[in-house]
Amino acid sequence: MQTAAIISNQNIEVVEDLREIYMGEWENKPLSSIKKTLTSEPIYGEGRKRALLRFQKAINHLIQQTTGNIIVVAHAGINCCYLAYLQGLDIDTSRALRQPYGCMNIINIDTMKVEQMGIMSEPYPSIDTCLSLLHLYQVPENIIQHSIAVCKEALFMALQLNETGLNLNLDLIKSCSLLHDIARVKPNHSEAGAQIVNKEGYPLLSGIISQHHDLELIHDVPTECEVVYLADKYIQGTQKVTINDRFSQSLNKCHSDEARQAHQRRYNQAIEVENLIFKYIDKEG
């Protein structure tokens, strides 16, 4: 109700049937005490199918009684049920849909098609939001400081590239640089990090974060992806190093022929990206 009041300048209508799913014996219990899976439901709860019927009825009534755009502020659980229904997805696994706090869903009421789902109002999170997300996911302080240093290096590089006539998105570079290691302590941290930012409502960041460690391809002209990738290679901890220094240190961690071959491939890739960017900017810069 508070959110709706802010959006509508206090002119709100409370519709009881837009309430969240009643969770029965799960109500007001910490998640750690609930044996919850993607498909499980509380024995004495309302249930997703029954909740969807009353929510759907309330939405249909609003559409019939209203002209123009409609803003409905509701909760993630019931939203996911309705979004799954509209997209023909299994309602029993609707919890898997992206629905972070404060996100927006856009539904065309003429076609009842979901045009956008689970996106934040800002496509690229601010510095404060990035830092909040890093703390939310319990990223160690030394990794946060590394990410800040990578961000500074990436923006410095991007500004130089833009002076040559490129049009790199500085907001995208800033956000991806700050969040590239949000899953650093997890296995396959690049892909895990991409999944996190997508889940949090920033899908535009996921493609770059998933490749910051190992690029899928190198473009003919530098993009935001190459800039974030190279900036990360230049920063060891919080200090700037050369590609040779960076890879000579990491070579000591390779204890098999397979690992050394992969290391050489990544080194060659880093040199190729560096040479690409040095076509546009001064190497000494």
Side-chain angles (χ1 to χ4, degrees):
M1 290 173 62
Q2 291 173 334
T3 302
I6 293 170
I7 294 172
S8 64
N9 195 23
Q10 304 298 324
N11 182 25
I12 66 173
E13 177 184 352
V14 177
V15 179
E16 179 65 21
D17 281 343
L18 296 178
R19 67 188 180 275
E20 179 62 297
I21 304 171
Y22 174 63
M23 293 307 231
E25 68 272 19
W26 290 359
E27 289 285 340
N28 301 315
K29 297 287 183 64
L31 288 174
S32 58
S33 69
I34 300 172
K35 294 181 179 180
K36 181 180 177 182
T37 68
L38 182 63
T39 59
S40 63
E41 290 189 321
I43 296 173
Y44 302 107
E46 181 179 19
R48 279 174 278 205
K49 291 181 175 62
R50 187 165 56 177
L52 172 62
L53 289 176
R54 51 98 171 155
F55 187 87
Q56 183 181 1
K57 182 178 179 180
I59 292 291
N60 290 341
H61 179 75
L62 286 175
I63 293 173
Q64 293 168 4
Q65 301 298 317
T66 313
T67 58
N69 294 326
I70 307 168
I71 297 177
V72 174
V73 182
H75 289 268
I78 191 64
N79 285 354
C80 286
C81 291
Y82 190 60
L83 291 165
Y85 159 74
L86 290 179
Q87 296 175 94
L89 303 175
D90 186 355
I91 190 175
D92 290 332
T93 57
S94 60
R95 289 194 195 115
L97 298 180
R98 182 174 65 226
Q99 205 66 185
Y101 293 128
C103 74
M104 298 187 300
N105 307 294
I106 300 177
I107 300 169
N108 186 321
I109 60 175
D110 293 324
T111 62
M112 295 310 293
K113 298 292 185 182
V114 179
E115 296 185 349
Q116 294 187 11
M117 180 180 69
I119 59 169
M120 304 304 286
S121 59
E122 47 180 10
Y124 315 110
S126 66
I127 292 176
D128 286 343
T129 299
C130 288
L131 293 176
S132 295
L133 286 170
L134 290 172
H135 286 111
L136 175 66
Y137 283 90
Q138 300 180 335
V139 178
E141 185 60 31
N142 65 312
I143 301 300
I144 293 177
Q145 293 305 314
H146 164 75
S147 300
I148 292 172
V150 170
C151 180
K152 291 178 180 178
E153 178 65 25
L155 288 175
F156 176 72
M157 197 185 306
L159 286 168
Q160 288 184 293
L161 288 167
N162 280 353
E163 288 177 358
T164 71
L166 300 186
N167 188 28
L168 298 173
N169 187 324
L170 299 182
D171 288 329
L172 177 59
I173 289 172
K174 174 187 64 182
S175 301
C176 290
S177 299
L178 287 172
L179 296 176
H180 76 281
D181 270 349
I182 192 168
R184 188 66 183 86
V185 298
K186 297 180 180 295
N188 193 10
H189 77 278
S190 297
E191 185 57 38
Q195 292 173 3
I196 286 174
V197 296
N198 185 60
K199 174 186 173 184
E200 291 294 337
Y202 301 105
L204 296 179
L205 278 60
S206 60
I208 294 178
I209 290 178
S210 69
Q211 299 183 67
H212 81 268
H213 183 62
D214 200 352
L215 290 175
E216 294 177 2
L217 63 89
I218 299 174
H219 297 88
D220 295 332
V221 177
T223 69
E224 295 85 358
C225 202
E226 281 84 10
V227 169
V228 173
Y229 168 88
L230 188 60
D232 183 44
K233 299 299 176 287
Y234 277 160
I235 303 299
Q236 181 78 40
T238 59
Q239 302 300 313
K240 186 171 181 179
V241 297
T242 66
I243 294 297
N244 285 336
D245 287 342
R246 176 69 179 269
F247 278 84
S248 63
Q249 293 176 28
S250 59
L251 181 59
N252 297 326
K253 301 177 182 178
C254 300
H255 303 297
S256 67
D257 290 340
E258 183 180 1
R260 284 187 284 271
Q261 290 172 7
H263 182 274
Q264 183 64 45
R265 179 185 60 79
R266 288 194 293 270
Y267 170 78
N268 293 340
Q269 184 181 71
I271 291 296
E272 186 177 352
V273 174
E274 184 180 57
N275 289 337
L276 171 67
I277 288 179
F278 285 165
K279 289 180 181 179
Y280 292 81
I281 62 178
D282 180 12
K283 183 174 182 178
E284 299 302 319

